[in-house]
């Protein structure tokens, strides 16, 4: 982009509000204040962070939930002005001596789930926001015209600027704004931009793109806070972008208490990455696509709307294919000093379709979730076509998980005759039809056609197809791969009871960042009893919550395995790495912590989020059930695909005489057994978590955790009698 273009865009900006603040250093991981921006009133103010807020909510997701809780009414809906987007990193986030320390979390009321959602992202925004002086950013109101929020951590200025000329699509606006707000080429790395593409104007399945400048490739790269419709909220508020500038990052920008402890943890894990990564998961060479081959091998890769767990063509989009295509001009970390370096991308890809056809672009990814959602689940196995879908989903701001599941659901409904070409606008939604998929994606961006129907997500389509086209609601509920309104992550959970609970009992909906227990449960057989599964469904979601409180990525925890794990009593917990995080916490804050302290920090926030769901009209047992396809085969072809396996379960595990049974009868018997088994799991998990049989945290639990605020107690007592 040439300088005159930047000046033209800048000159069209209109200053709506400006706020100047004192720059002061971060102290032991905290800036000790949060930033409030109301774009409807053009009002900007600073809010203090006290010790009680830190002790109760820690940071990151906890701060976001607390700020949102106090900003809205019980009746607030996702598109009301008082709904907020709240963004925060965390006290450990921003250190440079330990990998995976650059995360931020976004919290809002979701257009998909209609309750509170959290979504995390890499990139530079979380650390830069804190170093600029703010532990969290709270955005409320709706602007009259498109605006940009600019936070200058070098000068101590926050501005709301009307921005009429910038395009919306991410690959354009993020580059333009990075160049606009950097003083010179050396300052490009000091800018991070949050945006959503033009599809977010119309579709609920849209997320946020969070940028970082990659000097080795001269590319403005992106990671996503994709889940739950955060991007739809951003554009409903008429925000084109949020920009933060901070150009003085150093090894101790966090103002840590004990740098030696942080270096000690960093040196240990960096040595392990250097020695073992290539022979373990090869995150630096392949990244998350390494999972495709493994998931396919164990019947866990979603195919045809999660009907099947394997496909003969999966090797065409497996990790070794992408390893040859990724741009390896230097490490691929999405935060300073991240030696995990898994944020790969493909350079010099020439687009085949759409408004940018013929242009050469850099494609961030594909990640495993994109490959599961848009490749195997739709039966599209051409790598170039996968890159096309990946790029446009990103630049338009569409969550690839929700997109893949929504397209797959529509394709299955087309196959079943529930919808037809008249309804789809002439499109044949057959498996593998890349041209139809791309047309729908471009329709989402234009806000027209059947694409916008798909863009509202699986739950909205279930309702529409039932009410307008006479579909059987029971069938649609069985095959619609969403829970709580959020589309399910790309792992087949049919044969893992623990993972069924991991998805359906998750606070925000079925996202794998809360509990990924398939291998512990199904492959390694480490969870043989209901009590063992319940313990795992207590510990691991709570443990993983801790990462979102502190601005951390979970990949360095268990995607590199230390030698000590061979003799660990509980290897799935990776105890040596848990010790690392204890060192990091003490190193940053000066306070000692052990695993019990970590769990207590997380339990406070996890239970508070469950109560937040209750406040919004959810958060009870009836919302904790998966679609049956996440539990077992719905249709005869699914059963027949693994007939011997299911026959053996019915005979040996259920104790049914299957001689003379039809496939439909076998499905019905298996279903009765698995649904009853799931209910027993829910009972066990609720008991372990300290919840009632209805799924509400007990008063004893609330008081133990110190979240017994008067309005919390009133709410819980109202629902528990």
């Amino acid at each position: 982009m040439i300088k005159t273009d930047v000046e033209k865009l800048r000159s069209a900006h209109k200053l709506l509000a400006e706020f100047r603040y004192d720059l002061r250093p971060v102290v032991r991981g905290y800036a000790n204040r949060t930033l409030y921006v109301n774009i409807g009133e053009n009002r900007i103010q600073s809010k203090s962070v006290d010790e009680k807020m830190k002790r109760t909510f820690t940071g990151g997701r906890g701060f976001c939930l607390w700020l949102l809780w106090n900003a809205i009414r019980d009746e607030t809906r996702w598109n009301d002005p008082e709904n907020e987007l709240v963004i925060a990193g965390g006290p450990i986030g921003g250190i440079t001596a330990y990998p995976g320390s650059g995360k931020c979390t976004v919290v809002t009321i979701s257009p998909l789930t209609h309750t509170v959602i959290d979504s995390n992202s890499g990139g530079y925004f979380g650390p830069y926001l804190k170093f600029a002086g703010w532990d969290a950013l709270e955005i409320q109101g709706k602007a009259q015209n498109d605006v940009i929020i600019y936070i200058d951590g070098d000068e101590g200025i926050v501005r709301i600027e009307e921005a009429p000329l910038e395009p919306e699509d991410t690959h354009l606006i993020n580059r333009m704004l990075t160049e606009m707000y950097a003083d010179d080429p050396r300052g490009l790395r000091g800018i991070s931009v949050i945006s959503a593409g033009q599809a977010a104007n119309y579709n609920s399945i849209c997320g946020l793109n969070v940028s970082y400048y990659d000097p080795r490739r001269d590319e403005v790269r992106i990671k996503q806070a994709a889940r739950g419709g955060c991007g739809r909220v951003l554009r409903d508020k008429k925000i084109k972008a949020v920009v933060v500038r901070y150009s003085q990052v150093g090894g101790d920008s966090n103002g840590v208490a004990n740098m030696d402890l942080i270096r000690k943890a960093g040196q240990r894990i960096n040595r392990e990455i250097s020695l073992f990564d290539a022979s373990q998961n090869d995150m630096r060479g392949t990244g998350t696509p390494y999972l495709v081959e493994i998931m396919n091998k164990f019947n866990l890769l979603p195919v045809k709307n999660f009907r099947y767990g394997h496909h003969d063509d999966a090797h065409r989009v497996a990790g070794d294919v992408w390893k040859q295509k990724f741009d390896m001009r230097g490490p691929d970390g999405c935060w300073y000093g991240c030696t995990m370096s898994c944020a790969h991308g493909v350079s010099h890809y020439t687009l085949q379709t759409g408004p940018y056809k013929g242009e050469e672009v850099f494609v961030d990814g594909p990640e495993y979730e994109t490959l599961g959602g848009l490749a195997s689940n739709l039966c599209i196995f051409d790598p170039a076509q996968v890159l096309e879908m990946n790029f446009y989903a990103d630049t338009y701001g569409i969550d690839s998980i929700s997109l893949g599941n929504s397209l797959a659901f529509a394709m299955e409904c087309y196959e079943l005759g529930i919808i037809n070409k008249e309804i789809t606008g002439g499109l044949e939604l057959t498996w593998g039809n890349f041209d139809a998929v791309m047309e729908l994606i471009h329709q989402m961006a234009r806000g027209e056609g059947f694409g916008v129907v798909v863009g509202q997500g699986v739950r909205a389509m279930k309702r529409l197809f039932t009410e307008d086209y006479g579909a059987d609601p029971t069938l649609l509920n069985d095959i619609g791969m969403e829970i709580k309104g959020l589309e399910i992550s790309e792992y087949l959970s049919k044969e893992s009871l623990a993972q069924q609970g991991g998805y359906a009992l998750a606070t925000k909906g079925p996202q794998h960042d809360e509990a990924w227990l398939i291998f512990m449960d199904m492959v390694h057989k480490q969870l043989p009893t209901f009590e063992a599964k319940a313990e795992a469904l207590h510990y691991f979601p709570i443990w993983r919550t801790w990462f979102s409180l502190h601005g951390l990525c979970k990949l360095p925890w268990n995607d590199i395995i230390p030698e000590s794990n061979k003799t660990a009593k509980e290897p799935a917990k990776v105890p040596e790495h848990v010790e690392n995080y204890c060192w990091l916490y003490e190193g940053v804050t000066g306070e000692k912590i052990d695993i019990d302290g970590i769990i207590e920090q997380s339990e406070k926030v996890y239970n508070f989020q469950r109560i937040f769901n209750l406040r919004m009209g959810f958060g009870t047992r009836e919302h904790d059930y998966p679609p049956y396809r996440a539990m077992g085969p719905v249709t005869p072809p699914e059963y027949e695909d693994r007939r011997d396996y299911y026959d053996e379960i019915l005979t040996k595990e259920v104790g049914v005489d299957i001689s003379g049974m039809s496939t439909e009868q076998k499905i019905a018997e298996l279903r009765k057994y698995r649904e009853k088994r799931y209910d027993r799991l829910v009972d066990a998990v609720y008991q372990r978590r300290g919840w009632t049989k209805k799924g509400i945290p007990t008063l004893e639990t609330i008081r133990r955790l110190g979240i017994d605020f008067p309005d919390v107690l009133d709410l819980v007592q109202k629902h528990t009698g």
Side-chain angles (χ1 to χ4, degrees):
M1 183 176 163
I2 58 175
K3 187 174 181 180
T4 53
D5 289 334
V6 172
E7 292 305 320
K8 180 180 179 181
L9 296 173
R10 193 198 309 270
S11 65
H13 283 206
K14 176 183 177 183
L15 182 63
L16 301 178
E18 182 175 278
F19 176 81
R20 293 182 177 269
Y21 62 98
D22 294 331
L23 294 172
R24 59 194 194 203
V26 174
V27 179
R28 298 193 173 188
Y30 289 97
N32 292 306
R33 58 187 173 182
T34 64
L35 178 63
Y36 173 82
V37 179
N38 191 309
I39 54 173
E41 301 173 0
N42 292 324
R43 179 162 57 92
I44 307 169
Q45 69 183 71
S46 171
K47 296 182 180 181
S48 63
V49 173
D50 60 22
E51 288 302 311
K52 183 177 181 181
M53 185 171 168
K54 293 182 196 176
R55 295 292 176 194
T56 308
F57 296 103
T58 303
R61 193 206 306 187
F63 278 14
C64 292
L65 288 165
W66 180 237
L67 292 169
L68 183 63
W69 175 277
N70 290 295
I72 65 169
R73 300 169 293 115
D74 295 351
E75 300 79 20
T76 298
R77 298 296 174 256
W78 74 269
N79 56 352
D80 288 336
E82 64 264 29
N83 185 26
E84 293 188 330
L85 275 168
V86 196
I87 308 167
I92 300 177
I95 62 173
T96 58
Y98 199 88
S101 305
K103 286 276 192 172
C104 67
T105 295
V106 183
V107 168
T108 191
I109 302 300
S110 164
L112 283 172
T113 69
H114 302 289
T115 185
V116 63
I117 193 84
D118 65 274
S119 187
N120 69 78
S121 175
Y124 290 179
F125 193 91
Y128 281 4
L129 177 68
K130 180 169 66 173
F131 299 155
W134 310 104
D135 288 318
L137 169 63
E138 202 180 349
I139 305 171
Q140 193 172 45
K142 288 190 182 185
Q144 290 186 342
N145 300 303
D146 284 335
V147 300
I148 288 169
I149 298 169
Y150 175 55
I151 304 163
D152 190 330
D154 288 353
E155 300 294 333
I157 300 172
V158 182
R159 296 191 182 104
I160 305 172
E161 302 175 0
E162 194 170 290
L165 298 185
E166 283 85 354
E168 294 174 46
D169 287 342
T170 293
H171 76 292
L172 299 176
I173 190 171
N174 282 23
R175 180 81 195 199
M176 291 175 180
L177 295 182
T178 298
E179 295 185 2
M180 179 185 298
Y181 289 105
D183 285 340
D184 53 49
R186 291 174 299 176
L188 295 173
R189 202 172 185 189
I191 303 295
S192 183
V193 181
I194 292 180
S195 67
Q198 60 180 306
N201 291 317
Y202 313 106
N203 302 276
S204 296
I205 61 172
C206 290
L208 299 175
N209 291 312
V210 182
S211 83
Y212 62 104
Y213 179 71
D214 180 346
R216 294 180 182 86
R217 300 167 179 84
D218 186 29
E219 294 286 350
V220 176
R221 307 280 299 276
I222 55 170
K223 303 298 284 184
Q224 289 82 25
R227 310 257 44 212
C230 299
R232 181 73 185 97
V233 176
L234 185 90
R235 289 303 297 138
D236 181 69
K237 292 182 175 297
K238 290 190 176 296
I239 300 171
K240 271 191 175 173
V242 184
V243 183
V244 64
R245 176 189 181 211
Y246 187 80
S247 59
Q248 305 300 318
V249 173
D252 192 18
S253 294
N254 250 333
V256 305
N258 185 341
M259 183 61 76
D260 288 341
L261 265 182
I262 294 169
R263 291 196 183 104
K264 181 181 178 181
Q267 287 167 0
R268 181 157 75 171
I269 195 168
N270 286 331
R271 176 181 176 276
E272 291 165 2
I273 291 172
S274 177
L275 291 175
F276 307 133
D277 177 61
S279 62
Q280 290 182 6
N281 295 327
D282 194 28
M283 299 301 286
R284 292 192 291 183
T286 306
T288 60
Y290 85 89
L291 286 164
V292 171
E293 182 179 0
I294 297 171
M295 296 303 111
N296 198 49
K297 175 182 176 181
F298 287 101
N299 275 286
L300 298 171
L301 184 70
V303 173
K304 292 191 176 181
N305 195 31
F306 290 76
R307 277 187 200 161
Y308 313 113
H310 59 98
H311 198 287
D312 289 344
D313 287 333
H315 66 277
R316 296 175 58 194
V317 292
D320 57 345
V321 173
W322 299 109
K323 187 172 185 176
Q324 301 306 312
K325 295 181 179 295
F326 285 146
D327 183 330
M328 301 305 290
R329 288 176 290 167
D332 264 329
C334 66
W335 175 241
Y336 293 79
C338 184
T339 51
M340 185 66 77
S341 298
C342 67
H344 303 303
V346 177
S347 59
H348 307 299
Y349 172 71
T350 301
L351 293 166
Q352 307 171 37
T353 70
Y356 309 111
K357 182 178 180 179
E359 294 186 17
E360 195 174 84
V361 295
F362 188 96
V363 183
D364 274 289
E367 301 283 358
Y368 167 76
E369 296 292 335
T370 299
L371 295 170
L374 297 177
S376 65
N377 211 13
L378 306 182
C379 298
I380 297 175
F381 294 102
D382 182 326
Q385 293 177 350
V386 171
L387 287 173
E388 189 84 6
M389 294 184 290
N390 189 146
F391 173 82
Y392 273 112
D394 284 353
T395 200
Y396 289 158
I398 308 169
D399 171 19
S400 63
I401 296 176
S402 286
L403 176 62
N405 289 13
S406 298
L407 288 166
F409 176 75
M411 284 181 171
E412 183 164 9
C413 288
Y414 186 88
E415 182 182 36
L416 295 172
I418 294 168
I419 56 175
N420 53 35
K421 288 174 68 172
E422 182 179 353
I423 292 169
T424 66
L427 296 175
E428 293 188 26
L429 299 190
T430 51
W431 302 110
N433 191 338
F434 167 75
D435 292 337
V437 166
M438 288 311 306
E439 175 57 25
L440 290 174
I441 291 172
H442 294 312
Q443 286 180 8
M444 291 178 196
R446 299 193 299 266
E448 63 185 38
F450 191 69
V452 177
V453 173
V454 177
Q456 306 318 310
V458 171
R459 179 165 286 190
M461 281 191 285
K462 288 195 303 186
R463 184 170 55 250
L464 176 68
F465 295 174
T466 298
E467 294 175 357
D468 287 13
Y469 308 134
D472 176 3
T474 300
L475 174 62
L476 296 194
N477 286 331
D478 282 349
I479 67 173
M481 299 307 286
E482 57 85 14
I483 305 169
K484 298 179 171 72
L486 185 68
E487 285 72 26
I488 294 174
S489 293
E490 306 301 334
Y491 304 94
L492 212 70
S493 61
K494 280 185 171 80
E495 307 313 314
S496 172
L497 177 60
Q499 188 57 47
Q500 293 161 27
Y503 279 154
L505 297 170
T507 49
K508 66 182 169 211
Q511 174 70 357
H512 59 282
D513 68 350
E514 181 161 320
W516 195 84
L517 302 174
I518 288 177
F519 266 57
M520 281 186 73
D521 187 36
M522 191 189 88
V523 179
H524 300 310
K525 310 295 184 185
Q526 294 170 321
L527 306 173
T529 65
F530 285 101
E531 290 73 22
K533 289 176 172 59
E535 180 60 37
L537 285 166
H538 170 71
Y539 176 87
F540 286 101
I542 298 299
W543 163 246
R544 286 167 174 254
T545 293
W546 199 76
F547 293 99
S548 69
L549 304 185
H550 286 279
L552 299 172
C553 172
K554 76 93 185 164
L555 293 181
W557 159 56
N558 69 345
D559 275 79
I560 189 73
I561 302 300
E563 288 180 298
S564 63
N565 235 43
K566 295 176 183 177
T567 57
K569 183 179 178 181
E570 297 180 281
K573 294 182 177 181
V574 199
E576 180 184 300
H577 290 173
V578 173
E579 183 180 48
N580 285 351
Y581 290 111
C582 292
W583 291 348
L584 293 180
Y585 182 82
E586 182 181 351
V588 171
T589 67
E591 298 180 10
K592 287 185 177 295
I593 199 168
D594 57 17
I595 186 57
D596 292 335
I598 284 174
I599 294 300
E600 184 179 359
Q601 282 187 342
S602 296
E603 267 195 291
K604 292 173 188 285
V605 175
Y606 194 89
N607 280 270
F608 184 76
Q609 187 164 347
R610 180 72 175 189
I611 293 165
F612 206 145
N613 285 333
L614 187 66
R615 181 185 178 191
M616 302 308 296
F618 304 92
T620 48
R621 188 177 187 119
E622 60 268 30
H623 302 288
D624 288 344
Y625 285 84
Y628 184 67
R629 181 166 281 167
M631 301 170 71
V634 173
T635 63
E638 291 170 71
Y639 191 100
E640 293 297 331
D641 181 60
R642 304 190 70 189
R643 181 181 58 195
D644 293 344
Y645 171 79
Y646 288 128
D647 281 354
E648 185 175 3
I649 289 177
L650 284 173
T651 302
K652 294 184 177 180
E653 191 173 325
V654 185
V656 173
D657 181 1
I658 63 172
S659 57
M661 274 190 177
S662 67
T663 300
E664 289 82 356
Q665 289 171 324
K666 292 177 185 178
I667 290 172
E669 286 294 331
L670 184 62
R671 180 170 189 152
K672 284 192 296 184
Y673 170 72
R674 290 196 165 177
E675 288 179 338
K676 183 178 180 180
R677 188 181 63 163
Y678 180 78
D679 264 320
R680 288 184 61 191
L681 176 71
V682 173
D683 287 339
V685 173
Y686 285 176
Q687 182 177 3
R688 179 62 185 88
R689 290 181 177 179
W691 296 358
T692 69
K693 280 190 172 291
K694 194 178 178 182
I696 299 170
T698 65
L699 294 176
E700 180 183 3
T701 297
I702 292 166
R703 292 188 176 111
R704 174 176 64 83
L705 296 173
I707 54 174
D708 51 341
F709 307 105
D711 50 354
V712 167
L713 290 174
D714 289 345
L715 175 66
V716 170
Q717 287 172 331
K718 174 184 173 183
H719 285 272
T720 58

